[in-house]
Amino acid sequence: MADAEHHEEHHGGMGTYMAVFFGLCILTTFSFLTYFDFWRENISVEMSRLFMMAVSCTKAMLVIMFFMHLKWEASWKWVLTVPASIMSALLVFALVPDIYFRMDYASNERMKYAAERPAEVTEASDTHTDGADHGEGGH
């Protein structure tokens, strides 16, 4: 019995977990509200995305801090998490421009098999492949 009381005192107890659970439910409700027309008519897409990222990060922080017990861990957790967080942020910032501009330098062959193609590439690749597709051209 003493162990259970010590564990509850050290880790916040059932009340803390229920408060975090209800907080997660409220944040999920906020996320759900962004799908309704009244939200889309009054809030820009950029602000909506920013709001959703803030809600998602808050939910992740609550889960990590309370359900994964990092709130009660020793300070060594910062030695592991801060450098990993910095490296992951740098990786994201390094890859975003590459992903954004990836189609600017794509070859016609890659564009031919892309999911969405600009009209001028579609027309150009169709004129080049018409003869090959139908067996014309003496290859």
Side-chain angles (χ1 to χ4, degrees):
M1 188 60 113
D3 286 338
E5 289 175 8
H6 173 71
H7 183 269
E8 188 169 311
E9 177 183 309
H10 183 66
H11 285 251
M14 185 61 104
T16 301
Y17 291 116
M18 291 306 291
V20 171
F21 171 74
F22 287 119
L24 290 170
C25 289
I26 291 169
L27 289 169
T28 301
T29 303
F30 289 162
S31 298
F32 181 69
L33 292 176
T34 62
Y35 290 103
F36 289 103
D37 289 334
F38 72 86
W39 178 276
R40 292 180 181 178
E41 292 169 0
N42 298 317
I43 307 294
S44 69
V45 174
E46 292 82 12
M47 288 304 294
S48 183
R49 288 179 182 164
L50 182 65
F51 176 77
M52 289 294 291
M53 285 301 296
V55 168
S56 297
C57 289
T58 304
K59 288 169 58 176
M61 181 200 63
L62 285 173
V63 169
I64 289 168
M65 294 298 285
F66 291 97
F67 293 121
M68 294 175 69
H69 305 284
L70 285 183
K71 184 175 194 290
W72 297 285
E73 289 291 329
S75 59
W76 64 268
K77 66 186 173 209
W78 301 112
V79 174
L80 298 174
T81 56
V82 170
S85 299
I86 291 171
M87 289 301 294
S88 63
L90 288 174
L91 183 64
V92 167
F93 290 129
L95 291 178
V96 164
D98 186 43
I99 293 169
Y100 181 77
F101 294 114
R102 72 181 183 270
M103 297 311 277
D104 289 350
Y105 302 103
S107 66
N108 279 338
E109 184 174 342
R110 179 173 178 187
M111 294 299 288
K112 179 179 171 184
Y113 297 107
E116 293 182 12
R117 294 181 281 176
E120 63 272 1
V121 175
T122 304
E123 293 168 5
S125 64
D126 288 343
T127 58
H128 292 297
T129 59
D130 279 344
D133 288 342
H134 301 293
E136 300 171 8
H139 285 288

